[in-house]
Amino acid sequence: MAATLVVILVVLLPGGLAFSVHKYLKGPAPAVALHEPAPSPTPKSQDRLLDAAEFGDWSFRMDGVAFQAERVGRWTYDSCAPVDRDGLLAENRCARAVQLAYSAYKGHLKAVQVILAFPTEKAAAATAERLAKSSRGVKWRRDKVLGTYVYGRIRSGASKRYVVYTAVTADKTAQAKAARFHQYLHADHLNYFLFREPALTS
């Protein structure tokens, strides 16, 4: 996945924010028609439901930068209620969520990502902006990060109609690598949603 995202990643890394469709089906031509049949309506991107199974172990390599992490947990939610701490997600009509847990450097670094699907890009951007000011809007699996750590940070950003929320903790052994790991993991999954679905056709 990451190998195809080189150009876009450079754009996303500084700000952590970024603002794609199913194949459309044509119905069979009628036996007799006066005009060329129009294509069937293009399905909207939200027709493809977000699922944690889309994300496996994380492997990233680009220009001498390389990261590896094992996915140690995944959860798919049919709504955002299980991860909505104070109603912010419901307020912005969050429709679906997944949660992912990762471990790297022999368990010295652990990460949790919550990925949220919204009906519109505007709703996703508004949520990411609020989460950037206060991280308490999302309820995430704190049992999947380190209880004692020297690096502990959260990033949030929007890509299309999705919000990616990434928490990373690391102990002294992985401290020197934690900030860049966090930056690249977060940006790589933001990038994923730029390529997840082809662009809508007019």
Side-chain angles (χ1 to χ4, degrees):
M1 176 179 71
T4 63
L5 306 179
V6 174
V7 175
I8 301 297
L9 179 61
V10 174
V11 176
L12 285 179
L13 285 177
L17 296 175
F19 284 98
S20 11
V21 207
H22 292 298
K23 297 177 181 177
Y24 65 87
L25 303 175
K26 288 188 176 181
V32 177
L34 297 177
H35 303 286
E36 188 71 21
S40 299
T42 303
K44 296 180 181 180
S45 60
Q46 48 261 55
D47 291 343
R48 180 183 173 190
L49 294 178
L50 181 66
D51 195 293
E54 297 178 44
F55 303 91
D57 294 344
W58 185 55
S59 180
F60 179 89
R61 185 176 298 275
M62 183 187 75
D63 295 337
V65 177
F67 293 105
Q68 301 279 340
E70 179 187 2
R71 192 201 63 204
V72 294
R74 72 181 188 190
W75 302 266
T76 300
Y77 309 110
D78 291 333
S79 75
C80 294
V83 294
D84 194 349
R85 183 180 297 279
D86 59 9
L88 169 63
L89 305 184
E91 178 184 333
N92 288 325
R93 296 175 295 134
C94 184
R96 192 172 174 89
V98 303
Q99 191 159 191
L100 310 165
Y102 292 98
S103 179
Y105 307 116
K106 298 181 178 180
H108 294 284
L109 182 150
K110 293 189 176 183
V112 170
Q113 280 194 321
V114 180
I115 302 175
L116 310 164
F118 291 84
T120 65
E121 294 184 18
K122 182 178 179 179
T127 303
E129 184 178 353
R130 289 274 296 277
L131 290 175
K133 297 174 182 176
S134 173
S135 63
R136 293 190 55 81
V138 176
K139 189 189 306 180
W140 50 279
R141 295 290 301 260
R142 294 177 183 270
D143 60 316
K144 295 300 180 180
V145 295
L146 296 173
T148 302
Y149 50 85
V150 294
Y151 176 93
R153 298 286 187 276
I154 294 171
R155 289 175 175 265
S156 66
S159 179
K160 296 292 183 179
R161 60 185 190 88
Y162 300 92
V163 168
V164 178
Y165 180 95
T166 309
V168 170
T169 58
D171 62 18
K172 288 183 179 180
T173 300
Q175 180 181 12
K177 305 168 185 175
R180 293 193 78 198
F181 179 101
H182 195 175
Q183 183 181 32
Y184 277 83
L185 173 64
H186 184 72
D188 194 30
H189 281 175
L190 280 170
N191 286 334
Y192 172 74
F193 291 102
L194 296 178
F195 295 90
R196 185 174 182 264
E197 295 123 0
L200 286 169
T201 56
S202 58

